[in-house]
Amino acid sequence: DSVLITDPDGNPVTELDVRLSPNGSGHADSQTSMSADTQNLKSLRLWSNSSSDAAVKLTLDDSNVATGSAFTLNSTSGGQLNRMTYKVSTIEAGAAKKTFTNSGETKNYTLAPVGTHAEKEVAFLFESTAAYNSYTEGAYGGIVYANVTVGP
């Protein structure tokens, strides 16, 4: 059986358009990729097509860096390569935030059976690791790949 990331209706999500912008904390963060009423963000689901496959693993991999290196967005503003390191966290109801800081990291999740499938609502938060004003101005971009697999 397959496990994947979906929207609240169960439709597979294959990519997120993430744009980091300054916020009150002085760090750049995303405002369209997670759910929290105070941040006006959307939730997604970790989803298994089998209600018996409740243990899953989520691995995040950054296309800009080698496995084990910090997540990094790139910009070519000013005719030079600029980098912004960031972290990705998942937030779920009734559980501590789980933070991914390096490409290739894996975290474990337990899904709840819902009829013939199992799911867990999660919110993804992307946040720069340094204060926003420490980075060169410009549009930073990159790709993070998410891989969800059935756990042991």
Side-chain angles (χ1 to χ4, degrees):
D1 289 312
S2 65
V3 290
L4 51 141
I5 299 174
T6 71
D7 67 13
D9 294 324
N11 300 309
V13 173
T14 58
E15 61 185 52
L16 292 175
D17 181 17
V18 178
R19 300 172 194 276
L20 299 185
S21 57
N23 72 13
S25 72
H27 290 258
D29 74 354
S30 61
Q31 297 190 354
T32 59
S33 61
M34 59 167 275
S35 78
D37 291 339
T38 58
Q39 297 182 9
N40 190 31
L41 304 168
K42 300 186 319 187
S43 64
L44 296 172
R45 306 285 190 277
L46 299 179
W47 182 288
S48 172
N49 286 330
S50 171
S51 61
S52 63
D53 289 336
V56 299
K57 294 181 177 204
L58 174 64
T59 303
L60 299 181
D61 190 25
D62 187 331
S63 68
N64 286 330
V65 297
T67 298
S69 298
F71 290 110
T72 304
L73 298 175
N74 292 326
S75 170
T76 56
S77 293
Q80 62 183 13
L81 180 62
N82 304 298
R83 296 181 178 270
M84 175 189 291
T85 57
Y86 66 100
K87 60 187 174 183
V88 182
S89 300
T90 59
I91 301 172
E92 51 188 292
K97 177 168 66 170
K98 295 180 182 180
T99 301
F100 297 78
T101 55
N102 294 315
S103 181
E105 279 189 44
T106 298
K107 305 290 182 194
N108 297 316
Y109 298 84
T110 302
L111 311 185
V114 180
T116 60
H117 73 278
E119 66 180 67
K120 173 170 282 301
E121 181 178 12
V122 295
F124 290 86
L125 173 65
F126 299 77
E127 183 180 32
S128 64
T129 56
Y132 181 78
N133 61 5
S134 68
Y135 298 107
T136 302
E137 288 186 31
Y140 288 81
I143 299 172
V144 174
Y145 299 99
N147 185 32
V148 186
T149 58
V150 175

